[in-house]
Amino acid sequence: MAAVKQKAMKRKEFIQKGMITAAGATLLLSGCNTESQKQGQEAPAVITNKKYRWKMVTTWPPNFPVLGEGCNMFADWVNNMSGGQMEIKVYGSGELIPGLECFDAVSSGAAEIGNGASYYWTGKAPAAPFFTTVPFGMNAQQMNAWVYSGGGLQLWRELYANFGLIPFPGGNTGVQMAGWFNREINTIGDFKGLKMRIPGLGAKVLAKAGGTAILSSGNEIFTNLERGVIDATEWIGPYHDYIMGFHKIARYYYAPGWHETGSMLEFFFNMKAFNELPAHLQAILETAAARLNIWVLSEFEAKNNEYLVKMMKEDKVDVRIFDREILKALKKYTEEVLNELAASDPFSGKVYDSYLAFSENIHNWASFSEKLYYEMNL
Ligand code: CA
């Protein structure tokens, strides 16, 4: 008798979960579950009706195209999938706290979710850039492979556990552009004395090439470039760069984004808050994050060329591709920067080993797959 009851409960839990996680579950419930209908008054122990009202802080300006919009969509998906059990209020940068305080805010539990890019937290965790991008690193598809299937996520979780956080992949920009330049770059020597807005490890590589990285917040970049405070800036790719209006003031638009070859974006959850959630809400958050990971990259890939062509037509933007010798030199400097990072911080060394082994492995496969695919089609 006990066994029968247990079986009935299990089935009821399954169906209750189905009600929350699957679209069209009402059909399932009304169509075939007379057993649970009979016992409908009893709430199973595993599902609680407790409502969760969480705060998500982000590093993006409110409703920022793709990245901020995606956070709003994530909140809607979670609300819908949880049948309203979890509501997430999304705060853009500056609405609740400045964007660069998200990591600390979620670490302390002041907010339960953060959304940004791990390389913003390099000052706290030197290994962090590996989980966004490193110069001459892996592309979006390869980053997903390393993070989901190659041990990257375990390392990322190990790093963030020190801060009471659990990270999840939450998007990718794809290969970015090298940026907007007001002087021609024909040799590696042309980087000497170049003042450029470029974040992360790319800034260290630029320094090795004799340039100077100038920090500017998003809203200062345009004015700084227009007034000659900087000679160049990178941003993201054609869609976002068009919105920023850089094509109105810069002479040359260079490719490829050697410094950001597939920047992965992130969610980070307050570990205590996440671990206290019922399993189905944890699964909903993880599923919604994975959905956003796909959606963000799809948006970038779908829109970038449209806007590149638009800029070239409307404003006769001069699009250039860096000479192979320039890229070789930048790559050599990148190896020095990464080796210095690995030598200065043991955990960065551990992550770099994993990253390097995985990228060598996947590049070998790419030489038989993606590379031939592009040669065949371009
Ligand atoms: Ca960028």
Side-chain angles (χ1 to χ4, degrees):
M1 186 64 198
V4 172
K5 193 169 181 195
Q6 204 180 13
K7 200 173 163 193
M9 282 300 288
K10 276 220 169 112
R11 188 165 168 209
K12 193 170 149 195
E13 283 165 22
F14 171 75
I15 287 170
Q16 290 277 4
K17 279 189 187 179
M19 221 172 90
I20 289 161
T21 55
T26 329
L27 285 174
L28 179 77
L29 193 67
S30 58
C32 64
N33 189 30
T34 49
E35 206 168 19
S36 109
Q37 279 168 351
K38 278 183 211 154
Q39 303 181 8
Q41 299 85 344
E42 283 176 36
V46 48
I47 301 288
T48 71
N49 292 324
K50 183 177 169 186
K51 297 232 186 233
Y52 294 84
R53 304 277 177 270
W54 276 19
K55 289 194 276 293
M56 175 154 91
V57 287
T58 79
T59 57
W60 323 116
N63 309 311
F64 190 63
V66 186
L67 307 177
E69 288 168 351
C71 292
N72 299 339
M73 288 166 62
F74 172 85
D76 285 344
W77 295 337
V78 170
N79 191 343
N80 290 337
M81 283 195 279
S82 70
Q85 196 182 4
M86 175 167 271
E87 280 180 21
I88 297 169
K89 179 147 176 51
V90 179
Y91 295 91
S93 172
E95 287 189 314
L96 191 63
I97 50 164
L100 294 180
E101 288 175 19
C102 290
F103 194 83
D104 288 341
V106 180
S107 178
S108 73
E112 292 85 1
I113 314 179
N115 185 282
S118 65
Y119 66 1
Y120 292 142
W121 326 122
T122 306
K124 300 169 199 300
F130 286 102
F131 305 106
T132 308
T133 188
V134 296
F136 296 92
M138 289 189 269
N139 67 19
Q141 177 172 301
Q142 295 165 341
M143 274 300 285
N144 277 336
W146 178 56
V147 167
Y148 286 128
S149 305
L153 189 56
Q154 284 88 330
L155 289 167
W156 196 356
R157 296 219 162 134
E158 199 178 328
L159 179 67
Y160 275 32
N162 299 317
F163 304 92
L165 297 171
I166 304 178
F168 287 96
N172 200 302
T173 65
V175 182
Q176 299 195 7
M177 286 292 280
W180 299 89
F181 291 70
N182 271 331
R183 59 159 105 153
E184 274 184 281
I185 305 290
N186 295 318
T187 70
I188 189 71
D190 293 329
F191 279 98
K192 280 213 170 66
L194 185 87
K195 289 174 289 179
M196 181 171 182
R197 182 267 174 195
I198 178 170
L201 295 174
K204 294 206 158 93
V205 176
L206 175 70
K208 283 191 184 277
T212 309
I214 310 274
L215 280 176
S216 306
S217 67
N219 51 6
E220 290 169 351
I221 303 172
F222 185 91
T223 322
N224 284 351
L225 187 62
E226 194 177 28
R227 293 185 184 162
V229 177
I230 51 176
D231 309 305
T233 185
E234 69 82 58
W235 187 234
I236 307 177
Y239 177 48
H240 285 80
D241 292 10
Y242 180 88
I243 295 167
M244 290 290 272
F246 293 132
H247 55 292
K248 304 280 182 202
I249 51 164
R251 274 184 221 143
Y252 309 106
Y253 194 21
Y254 275 96
W258 56 274
H259 63 302
E260 298 204 53
T261 55
S263 296
M264 181 167 265
L265 309 166
E266 63 173 2
F267 283 99
F268 41 94
F269 295 88
N270 177 277
M271 188 183 280
K272 186 169 176 290
F274 187 86
N275 287 342
E276 283 171 3
L277 286 177
H280 70 279
L281 289 181
Q282 291 177 343
I284 285 170
L285 289 170
E286 184 166 8
T287 303
R291 181 175 172 188
L292 192 63
N293 195 29
I294 295 168
W295 183 81
V296 169
L297 179 61
S298 305
E299 282 292 297
F300 277 108
E301 289 294 301
K303 292 205 161 88
N304 273 335
N305 189 58
E306 184 188 327
Y307 281 83
L308 182 65
V309 170
K310 197 173 159 72
M311 280 190 280
M312 289 167 86
K313 271 194 190 150
E314 285 176 8
D315 294 283
K316 313 245 174 317
V317 167
D318 192 348
V319 180
R320 305 277 183 99
I321 297 172
F322 279 142
D323 184 82
R324 186 118 201 102
E325 292 305 311
I326 292 176
L327 293 171
K328 271 191 200 162
L330 291 171
K331 192 171 185 194
K332 186 179 130 296
Y333 291 136
T334 295
E335 281 162 11
E336 288 174 22
V337 166
L338 292 176
N339 285 331
E340 284 161 17
L341 171 62
S344 67
D345 173 56
F347 195 79
S348 294
K350 183 174 163 179
V351 177
Y352 188 33
D353 285 347
S354 164
Y355 187 96
L356 205 56
F358 194 85
S359 51
E360 278 170 7
N361 171 55
I362 206 162
H363 285 150
N364 186 57
W365 166 232
S367 70
F368 292 96
S369 57
E370 305 294 316
K371 185 166 181 286
L372 299 183
Y373 167 83
Y374 284 113
E375 285 170 6
M376 182 171 78
N377 282 295
L378 290 179

